[in-house]
Amino acid sequence: MRKGLWAGLLALLIASASYAQLTRLLPTDGQLGELAGQQHPFPLLQINNKVVRLAPGGVIYDRQNRTILHNQLPEYSPVLFVADRKGEIARLFLLRPDEYERLERTLKR
C-alpha cells in the first residue's frame, strides 16, 4: 500500500514538472508587433503605432495563456497577433521575452 502511494506521488510530480516545461502553441500565421495598451477605448488597440480594431469575438491571451479583457492589457508588450480578412485582430498573444526572441528569429516582420 505504501509503495503504491509513493509511486503515485512520484508519477504526479514528474507529470506536473514536465507539463510546466511545455512551450505554448502559438499560431504560425501570426505577425509580431509592439502593443501600446490602455491608450484607446474598447475595441481599439494600438499595435506598431497603428490603431486597429479587436474583431467581434476576438480573444486576448496573457503571458500564461489565459484569456484577459481589454482593460487588463499592460501599457507596453511585445505581441503576436492574427488578423482576420477585414484586418481586425482575431487573436492577440502577449509574449514573454523568450517567446519574442524565438519568434523574432523564425517569423519575418
Side-chain angles (χ1 to χ4, degrees):
M1 174 77 173
R2 190 166 233 171
K3 286 183 182 179
L5 180 64
W6 283 110
L9 182 61
L10 181 63
L12 179 66
L13 288 174
I14 291 171
S16 64
S18 64
Y19 178 76
Q21 301 302 318
L22 293 176
T23 58
R24 107 174 128 154
L25 298 175
L26 296 169
T28 57
D29 59 343
Q31 300 173 31
L32 285 177
E34 284 287 326
L35 171 75
Q38 303 274 332
Q39 295 184 358
H40 297 282
F42 178 77
L44 302 178
L45 302 167
Q46 183 175 337
I47 300 177
N48 295 338
N49 296 322
K50 181 178 174 187
V51 177
V52 293
R53 184 179 183 88
L54 186 65
V59 182
I60 303 170
Y61 296 95
D62 71 0
R63 291 174 181 93
Q64 287 78 37
N65 214 33
R66 300 173 295 194
T67 57
I68 61 171
L69 299 176
H70 185 273
N71 65 350
Q72 296 172 314
L73 287 171
E75 283 191 39
Y76 296 98
S77 176
V79 294
L80 179 72
F81 63 95
V82 178
D84 63 8
R85 290 183 289 175
K86 293 183 190 177
E88 296 177 341
I89 305 301
R91 290 180 290 164
L92 179 78
F93 296 86
L94 302 178
L95 298 175
R96 297 186 307 262
D98 62 315
E99 291 174 326
Y100 181 71
E101 290 173 8
R102 180 173 47 93
L103 288 170
E104 197 171 36
R105 288 190 305 256
T106 57
L107 292 177
K108 296 177 183 173
R109 280 195 142 195

